[in-house]
Amino acid sequence: MDNKTSFWIVKQEPSQYSWEDFVKDGKTYWDGVRNYQARNNLQAMKKGDLVFFYHSVIGKEIKGIAKVTREAYPDPTTDDERWVVVDLKPLKAFAHPVNLEQVKSHKDLQEIALVKQSRLSVMPVTKKESQVLLKMGKTSIH
DNA sequence: GCCAACGTTGGC
DNA sequence: GCCAACGTTGGC
């Protein structure tokens, strides 16, 4: 990680694709985004950026962190040219998953998009927020 | 171009 | 299961 690294959060319901599925696969392309704002965030991801993996609905917790291994390209699951995917690989599981309640109650995470824009499935995270999340997850990335 | 109707997401 | 938030669609 250098100072050009950006941080993001992606959300998925674990009943559809869980962090455990992701680890088992070793890598994946992040498909199925059908929202312009989320799509724009995918397109802004750079190789090497770090991505928190959040379980929505069931668990409601950040399970780990992934790395962008390929920047945006057309979503192979649709002919619609508007939509893109990125390739992600698991980097590290959180030693302690961080749940939504913890995020909401932390003073430095009051403005995080995860809380402010609860319906968005791909969103940016500031450096400060990322550091707080990593600390709460008792996880370091090196 | 406005806005009502409708659909989806996700927290509770 | 409900509903708030919010994005999309289509009639006018």
Side-chain angles (χ1 to χ4, degrees):
Chain A
M1 176 180 70
D2 56 37
N3 61 8
K4 287 186 300 185
T5 306
S6 298
F7 291 85
W8 311 88
I9 291 181
V10 294
K11 304 197 323 197
Q12 184 56 275
E13 294 192 31
S15 60
Q16 295 182 37
Y17 192 77
S18 68
W19 169 260
E20 289 77 16
D21 294 331
F22 181 38
V23 169
K24 195 168 57 183
D25 288 349
K27 64 172 180 175
T28 194
Y29 52 79
W30 202 257
D31 67 326
V33 170
R34 298 291 181 270
N35 168 285
Y36 289 112
Q37 201 177 347
R39 190 278 313 268
N40 292 346
N41 288 332
L42 281 182
Q43 284 178 326
M45 288 184 187
K46 296 296 179 192
K47 193 172 175 177
D49 280 358
L50 299 176
V51 183
F52 295 99
F53 192 120
Y54 175 79
H55 277 181
S56 62
V57 184
I58 299 167
K60 283 176 281 186
E61 57 189 8
I62 296 171
K63 296 286 288 181
I65 190 158
K67 180 176 264 189
V68 176
T69 56
R70 185 179 171 190
E71 295 175 12
Y73 58 97
D75 187 334
T77 66
T78 178
D79 289 333
D80 192 327
E81 295 176 351
R82 292 175 297 172
W83 309 118
V84 300
V85 299
V86 296
D87 284 357
L88 299 177
K89 72 167 186 191
L91 185 65
K92 208 158 192 184
F94 267 20
H96 287 259
V98 175
N99 67 36
L100 189 61
E101 197 179 342
Q102 291 174 270
V103 171
K104 282 182 160 177
S105 60
H106 196 288
K107 66 175 169 51
D108 293 329
L109 299 175
Q110 295 303 302
E111 300 299 318
I112 195 170
L114 184 66
V115 174
K116 288 276 174 182
Q117 280 184 281
S118 63
R119 291 178 67 248
L120 191 60
S121 63
V122 183
M123 52 203 149
V125 187
T126 66
K127 285 230 167 29
K128 171 76 176 172
E129 290 163 350
S130 303
Q131 283 166 13
V132 172
L133 291 174
L134 287 168
K135 192 172 178 187
M136 290 171 89
K138 302 197 189 321
T139 299
S140 71
I141 39 170
H142 283 116

